[in-house]
Amino acid sequence: ETSECPAGAYCPEGSKVPILCPIGTYSEFSGQSDLSTCQNCTAGRFCASEGLSEPTADIDAGYYGGSGVSTSRPTETRCPQGFYCPRGSRLPIRCPAGTYAETPGLERCRECPSGYACAQ
């Protein structure tokens, strides 16, 4: 009896047990036979465990991430000073005129105080 290889895994020809897609990847389709069918986690989302059929969730606010991220708060891509990163950010967004971000890791820029000019 043959069973179809489940989503989140691949089954090379002749294998008896599915091989789970690695952390940082997922595979939404069943019946796959090669590691290359496990795709990098979608930009702005993270894939925290093996064998996922879809990304775990959005990357946390204050962080951003390209594809293949495995944690909700990727420390190497903390939002830099002068930018903001809402939940699920793929890239940091520069603060618009009249706002500022004096520290890294902000979800939104702050309004420039009255009597001050904020130019990033």
Side-chain angles (χ1 to χ4, degrees), residues 30-107:
S30 58
Q32 303 302 309
S33 63
D34 191 77
L35 172 62
S36 66
T37 61
C38 298
Q39 48 195 319
N40 279 339
C41 203
T42 311
R45 309 205 72 202
F46 70 98
C47 295
S49 60
E50 294 179 313
L52 295 176
S53 60
E54 62 183 29
T56 306
D58 287 341
I59 290 173
D60 286 350
Y63 297 84
Y64 67 96
S67 63
V69 174
S70 62
T71 178
S72 65
R73 294 179 170 209
T75 54
E76 66 279 1
T77 56
R78 189 168 182 214
C79 204
Q81 183 177 347
F83 293 79
Y84 69 104
C85 297
R87 184 175 179 83
S89 291
R90 295 174 179 176
L91 293 169
I93 304 163
R94 183 174 293 284
C95 289
T99 67
Y100 70 103
E102 78 285 5
T103 60
L106 295 181
E107 178 178 7

Side-chain angles (χ1 to χ4, degrees), residues 4-11 18-23 25-32 34-35 37-39 49-55:
E4 189 172 86
C5 196
Y10 62 99
C11 303
I19 300 169
L20 300 179
C21 288
I23 292 173
T25 69
Y26 73 102
S27 178
E28 58 188 316
F29 302 109
S30 58
Q32 303 302 309
D34 191 77
L35 172 62
T37 61
C38 298
Q39 48 195 319
S49 60
E50 294 179 313
L52 295 176
S53 60
E54 62 183 29

